[in-house]
Amino acid sequence: MATGLWTDYKASSFAGGSETSSSPYQISNAAQLAYMAYLVNSNTTYRNKYYQLTADIDLSAHYWYPIGKENYSFNGTFDGQYHTISNMTIDNTVTGMGVKYLGLFGYIGKYNLTVTIKNLFMNNAMITDSSATYTSFLVGHNGDKLYLNNISIDNSELVYASSTTVSTTGTYFGGLVGYSNNLLSIDNANIYKTNIRSNKEMTGGCIGYCNNTGSLTITNVNSIIDELMTSNTVAKLGGLVGEVEIKTGSYNKLMTLNVLPVKNNAIKTPLN
């Protein structure tokens, strides 16, 4: 069982690299990933850099603190190099969390930069959410030009901490992106064997909500979800997207959409 926050167990350096596209910061273990989170969350110097995984990462030992927050957002390039981040546990009832942006990356944006997250697998992520506004396994909030390429999330779960039915508005969950209000491009992404038990107003298997000033392009996306449920009486629930308001952009090649079962406005207590 996870104890403490990963940022309290961070490394003091990366495995190598020098921040550039030709020599990204190299991350070979969980403590170095926590070091990246610490740097991005406390210093604007590190937000627009290049990072890459050089090994699979197991986050089971401690609770994850998301990369990026409102005043210190992530705006760089993260290349998983087809490695897996497993056992990410986020619980915003844990002492020291108290953030409204949840995910591997909490907050991306507001500088209108190009951000890329690519070639990344996530397995067995667990989020227990009581009061966050923007929640996702991958990116809670996007306000930049975000490109997601070759992403896979499987055997993961979101649960709400309270059993009370709510009618809260302006809250979001999506398997890949909770909320986006800028360009969002998703190419070749899979969400498999995932359980989503949400208390958000807008919940989607892939994206919670898009209100894009740029464009939305979704290509080659598989969203296969075991459970998709909400306790929110005003919820907008979708197997792929909770709600979309798009001024420009396109949808292409939505390959597989298979959601079993969908239950809306019916769950008042978490299932065992």
Side-chain angles (χ1 to χ4, degrees):
M1 180 177 178
T3 59
L5 296 177
W6 263 111
T7 46
D8 294 328
Y9 297 88
K10 62 184 180 294
S12 57
S13 64
F14 293 111
S18 57
E19 80 184 32
T20 65
S21 59
S22 60
S23 181
Y25 286 128
Q26 296 178 5
I27 298 168
S28 63
N29 58 47
Q32 291 169 359
L33 189 63
Y35 181 60
M36 173 189 170
Y38 166 77
L39 292 176
V40 173
N41 291 339
S42 60
N43 192 324
T44 58
T45 301
Y46 292 91
R47 70 183 179 208
N48 191 20
K49 306 300 182 185
Y50 292 82
Y51 303 85
Q52 68 177 203
L53 298 185
T54 61
D56 294 341
I57 304 292
D58 183 356
L59 293 176
S60 60
H62 309 292
Y63 291 102
W64 181 247
Y65 193 98
I67 300 168
K69 50 189 180 181
E70 191 164 2
N71 293 326
Y72 297 96
S73 62
F74 176 74
N75 305 101
T77 296
F78 187 89
D79 185 355
Q81 295 200 118
Y82 299 99
H83 290 294
T84 299
I85 295 177
S86 60
N87 304 314
M88 179 185 75
T89 304
I90 296 176
D91 186 340
N92 68 347
T93 67
V94 171
T95 300
M97 281 293 294
V99 295
K100 64 179 183 179
Y101 307 99
L102 297 184
L104 179 65
F105 294 86
Y107 192 96
I108 288 174
K110 77 180 181 181
Y111 298 102
N112 204 33
L113 300 173
T114 297
V115 180
T116 300
I117 302 172
K118 61 184 180 180
N119 308 328
L120 178 64
F121 303 144
M122 295 183 68
N123 176 262
N124 199 34
M126 175 69 183
I127 299 178
T128 302
D129 180 12
S130 63
S131 59
T133 304
Y134 309 92
T135 304
S136 174
F137 299 119
L138 186 63
V139 176
H141 177 284
N142 171 53
D144 267 335
K145 299 173 183 177
L146 177 60
Y147 292 85
L148 302 179
N149 304 315
N150 302 322
I151 305 293
S152 181
I153 297 173
D154 69 282
N155 289 307
S156 295
E157 185 171 6
L158 166 78
V159 298
Y160 47 92
S162 171
S163 62
T164 303
T165 299
V166 298
S167 57
T168 304
T169 59
T171 53
Y172 316 92
F173 173 83
L176 294 175
V177 180
Y179 174 97
S180 178
N181 65 352
N182 204 328
L183 183 151
L184 177 59
S185 173
I186 303 175
D187 180 37
N188 194 23
N190 300 306
I191 304 171
Y192 290 136
K193 300 178 183 177
T194 298
N195 298 307
I196 299 172
R197 305 169 187 182
S198 171
N199 63 355
K200 306 306 181 191
E201 179 193 9
M202 300 179 192
T203 296
C206 182
I207 304 166
Y209 175 69
C210 279
N211 183 5
N212 287 45
T213 57
S215 65
L216 173 65
T217 302
I218 303 175
T219 58
N220 302 316
V221 171
N222 299 292
S223 181
I224 302 176
I225 299 168
D226 289 341
E227 293 179 328
L228 179 57
M229 306 176 181
T230 181
S231 64
N232 195 315
T233 60
V234 296
K236 298 172 183 178
L237 191 70
L240 190 68
V241 183
E243 181 171 275
V244 182
E245 297 180 45
I246 299 298
K247 298 179 181 178
T248 62
S250 61
Y251 293 93
N252 298 307
K253 301 178 184 176
L254 302 182
M255 297 301 292
T256 303
L257 178 57
N258 180 17
V259 182
L260 297 171
V262 176
K263 298 181 181 180
N264 192 4
N265 300 336
I267 306 303
K268 295 185 178 180
T269 58
L271 298 183
N272 295 320

